């Protein structure tokens, strides 16, 4: 047995008595743990923060991928920033897309997940439509001249290498990478314990995009309730869900899901008052 402990906030921890520790080490960017628990399945943690578990990774990966894809309606090209475990790439490549570019700063996370968490990518890394670039996502969007129908920022939290991915210069560069009608989404942690992440995203989104907001997904592993997922676009208001259109698109591709459905998509945009007020507040910059 090996205990893994994440500090959720001062005085609040999440401890797993792992059945076995498959990997524990440090890359050039972060500490990595991969371990197995009989209920959670295999777990990836970076810098002692649980990133994903086999138990419920599909909630996060389906909601962060299919919500913008079905809202857009005709995604052919996509950009993933981060996503080292391959879960987003897996879900995107289930659609009839032409090209997915994935920019992950830490190649060792990809290698370790391919080896110890193969169910997450499920062959995505071998799909010829995927262009995997090992590098800083912020530099990529700054230097690239390619455009994408969706940009999915599947990063660590706004600390460490992920911090730049929540700030105005990066989001401004991402806006230039969106094709007309393009949609950007990102993860903002769990507002119960990290309300500052939603507030920070709201204040940066407001400076860069005319349309932005949040939708929510319950990922049991992320202790403390719902996870806030951010969206932003020049021309789409994702909060105005056209359920008939989403349903027609969903039925058109005929993908089996474990969490996402058109009804779950629509419900994810319901704004509990306490979260709506977070989204409206101006974050400390
Ligand atoms: N998909 C998981 C989940 O369910 O939340 C977690 C996301 S994934 C493991 C987060 C990835 O973001 C990590 O692999 C990390 O190396 C990567 N990352 C952090 N900062 C980055 C940056 N500036 N550019 C590219 N990738 C970055």
């Amino acid at each position: 047995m090996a205990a893994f402990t994440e500090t959720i906030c001062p005085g609040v921890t999440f401890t797993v008595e792992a059945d076995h520790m498959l990997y524990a080490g440090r890359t050039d960017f972060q500490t990595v743990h991969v371990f197995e628990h009989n209920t959670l399945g295999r777990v990836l943690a970076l810098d002692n923060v649980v990133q994903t578990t086999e138990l419920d990774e599909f909630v996060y990966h389906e909601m962060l991928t299919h919500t913008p894809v079905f809202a857009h309606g005709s995604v052919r090209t996509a950009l993933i920033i981060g996503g080292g475990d391959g879960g987003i790439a897996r879900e995107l490549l289930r659609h009839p897309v032409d090209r997915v570019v994935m920019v992950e700063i830490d190649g060792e996370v990809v290698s370790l997940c391919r080896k110890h968490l193969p169910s997450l990518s499920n062959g995505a890394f071998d799909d010829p439509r995927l262009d995997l670039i090992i590098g800083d996502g912020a530099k990529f969007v700054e230097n690239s001249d390619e455009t994408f129908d969706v940009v999915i920022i599947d990063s660590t939290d706004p600390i460490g290498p992920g911090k730049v991915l929540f700030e105005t210069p990066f989001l401004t560069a991402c806006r230039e990478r969106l094709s007309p009608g393009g949609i950007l989404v990102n993860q903002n942690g769990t507002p119960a314990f990290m309300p500052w992440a939603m507030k920070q995203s709201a204040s940066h989104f407001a400076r860069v995009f005319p349309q932005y907001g949040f939708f929510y997904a319950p990922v049991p592993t992320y202790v403390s309730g719902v996870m806030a997922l951010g969206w932003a676009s020049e021309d789409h208001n994702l909060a105005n869900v056209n359920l008939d259109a989403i349903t027609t698109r969903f039925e058109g591709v005929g993908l089996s899901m474990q969490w996402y459905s058109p009804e779950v998509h629509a419900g994810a945009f319901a704004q509990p008052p306490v979260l709506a007020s977070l989204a409206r507040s101006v974050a400390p910059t």
Side-chain angles (χ1 to χ4, degrees):
M1 280 289 196
F4 171 84
T5 295
E6 174 180 345
T7 299
I8 305 295
C9 69
V12 178
T13 59
F14 171 61
T15 294
V16 179
E17 297 291 344
D19 297 313
H20 11 260
M21 185 63 72
L22 298 163
Y23 180 83
R26 185 160 179 79
T27 72
D28 291 342
F29 297 95
Q30 49 213 327
T31 303
V32 182
H33 290 91
V34 184
F35 54 89
E36 192 155 33
H37 179 268
N38 60 9
T39 303
L40 298 177
R42 293 199 172 183
V43 181
L44 170 69
L46 298 176
D47 283 343
N48 294 314
V49 176
V50 171
Q51 299 292 305
T52 193
T53 71
E54 286 182 318
L55 171 69
D56 53 31
E57 55 85 10
F58 55 83
V59 178
Y60 172 88
H61 292 124
E62 288 183 11
M63 289 303 287
L64 196 60
T65 304
H66 305 302
T67 306
V69 169
F70 286 121
H72 182 284
S74 56
V75 170
R76 308 304 306 181
T77 57
L79 172 62
I80 305 168
I81 303 292
D85 51 77
I88 298 292
R90 176 195 77 208
E91 290 302 311
L92 269 172
L93 291 164
R94 298 175 68 201
H95 290 272
V97 294
D98 297 331
R99 173 167 161 76
V100 175
V101 176
M102 175 174 158
V103 186
E104 162 57 55
I105 201 165
D106 195 337
E108 285 192 71
V109 169
V110 175
S111 314
L112 288 164
C113 290
R114 292 191 75 159
K115 180 177 179 189
H116 295 299
L117 273 158
S119 66
L120 267 287
S121 53
N122 194 32
F125 290 121
D126 299 319
D127 189 312
R129 293 171 293 165
L130 180 70
D131 182 1
L132 173 61
I133 297 169
I134 301 303
D136 182 344
K139 291 198 176 58
F140 175 83
V141 294
E142 198 62 47
N143 301 322
S144 168
D145 56 8
E146 193 170 352
T147 58
F148 303 91
D149 299 321
V150 288
V151 174
I152 301 180
I153 306 164
D154 176 28
S155 71
T156 41
D157 293 337
I159 42 186
K163 187 170 182 308
V164 290
L165 306 181
F166 292 81
E167 294 172 348
T168 299
F170 168 73
L171 292 170
T172 304
C174 284
R175 188 187 61 198
E176 304 310 311
R177 301 280 63 74
L178 284 173
S179 52
I183 297 168
L184 174 143
V185 291
N186 73 351
Q187 69 89 7
N188 291 271
T190 52
F193 284 89
M194 21 186 313
W196 52 269
M198 245 181 100
K199 288 163 71 172
Q200 177 179 294
S201 272
S203 67
H204 289 289
F205 278 156
R207 293 190 197 120
V208 178
F209 292 96
Q211 314 261 17
Y212 68 93
F214 297 88
F215 57 108
Y216 307 100
V219 184
T221 299
Y222 301 148
V223 175
S224 74
V226 292
M227 186 168 202
L229 303 174
W231 64 268
S233 177
E234 291 275 353
D235 10 46
H236 273 283
N237 181 349
L238 268 70
N240 292 338
V241 177
N242 178 335
L243 184 55
D244 289 344
I246 299 292
T247 303
T248 301
R249 294 165 187 165
F250 177 75
E251 290 172 351
V253 288
L255 297 178
S256 67
M257 302 285 179
Q258 297 186 77
W259 192 264
Y260 179 92
S261 76
E263 293 72 20
V264 168
H265 175 135
F269 286 86
Q271 296 296 322
V274 67
L275 298 184
S277 66
L278 266 186
R280 277 194 306 275
S281 62
V282 179
T285 48

